[in-house]
Amino acid sequence: MSVGTRTRTLLKTTTPTRRLDVAASYEALTQACAATADDARQAELVSDSPNHLWSLPVGMFAMVHPDLDEAWAVIKGALYLREQRVPAIAPWYHDVRAGTEGRAVTFWPDPGKTSADTSLSAWVTALTHRIDPASAPWLREHDTFAGLLDGLDDAPLNAAARRFLREHTAQLHEEWDYLEWPTPDAVVLGAHGMIPIHDGGVHVGLLLRRPLTRGHREWDLVAARWRSELLIGPREDHRTYAGTYLSYQREDQVPDYPYIGAWSGYQVVRDVVALTAAMGAVRRAHLDKRIRQEAEHRVACLRGAYPAPWNWGLR
């Protein structure tokens, strides 16, 4: 693998399982680059969740998706957001390149550094929620429980942890079914926290990394708040976020709760967000020891072994 120095260091220090995972992703990348006449040499792995994100030396990023459907949905969603005047980053190429083992690759301009200004996240989220979902009938419904426990049977967790996750999911699913949503359907981003906004020095924008869905805006709002409540982090970040979001709400969409934490369904949705984020680590726990320890710690937090706020990432 002719990858960059940081990725070479990662491959030397991580487990054989994760090396194989990164190698398979890189193979899909090189195959896609061969089709586009781009150079995958010296590519650096930036992130491997929720999909593999590679930076290329020419000011371009490449996402390696698990399948063609997701790749097309991400491109379609990004272009749709731009049509709706949401500052999303447009793909470098407006098509998808097939990779190896069913993977697919999309290419994007380098979005710049992630901004620490949480008001930008609130602004983009509010603009997205203002869109009439009827203008995008192709959007799938946001179903947070679909596939939520995928990979649990193969995860390197003990039987008690797996049993807790199944029982906790069943309990939350039952409570979810009785929720009364206070606002109509919206286009939602479905993140597990404040969506990251990039600042390239001239323009700011959202690099969409998962498909848009049709669902309840409360998911995005709860996901933005739960980190300031359950995780270690500045509460001022969320106060800035909440104030900005409220200033961009449409008048016909203002709910009857004064802030998202006062909504009667907040705790249920918050706990589902936390479970979803924990399962993200659980599904990747087989890759190396650090991720496995992080997954075990997150499950222990959910089980009440540590008081909130939690040090969610063991850092």
Side-chain angles (χ1 to χ4, degrees), residues 144-166:
T144 188
F145 290 97
L148 180 57
L149 295 183
D150 285 356
L152 179 58
D153 289 338
D154 299 324
L157 299 177
N158 60 41
R162 288 197 292 271
R163 182 170 58 253
F164 163 78
L165 288 170
R166 291 191 183 93

Side-chain angles (χ1 to χ4, degrees), residues 1-5 8 11 26 30 39-44 54:
M1 293 175 60
S2 179
V3 292
T5 55
R8 279 201 300 273
L11 293 173
Y26 183 72
T30 55
D39 189 356
R41 293 175 298 177
Q42 307 307 311
E44 295 282 13
W54 294 84

Side-chain angles (χ1 to χ4, degrees), residues 253-272:
Q253 293 181 343
V254 177
D256 56 6
Y257 49 78
Y259 60 97
I260 190 61
W263 172 46
S264 61
Y266 168 75
Q267 184 171 331
V268 173
V269 178
R270 181 204 65 187
D271 290 348
V272 177

Side-chain angles (χ1 to χ4, degrees), residues 196-218:
I197 303 298
H198 298 267
D199 186 351
V202 178
H203 301 290
V204 298
L206 162 68
L207 180 64
L208 195 65
R209 293 192 60 185
R210 65 178 78 241
L212 294 173
T213 55
R214 176 185 179 129
H216 301 286
R217 61 178 56 85
E218 281 75 21

Side-chain angles (χ1 to χ4, degrees), residues 194 221 224-225 228 234-243 260:
M194 294 182 192
L221 298 180
R225 186 179 190 271
S228 68
R235 291 182 179 270
E236 182 59 36
D237 286 352
H238 185 263
R239 284 194 287 267
T240 301
Y241 177 100
I260 190 61

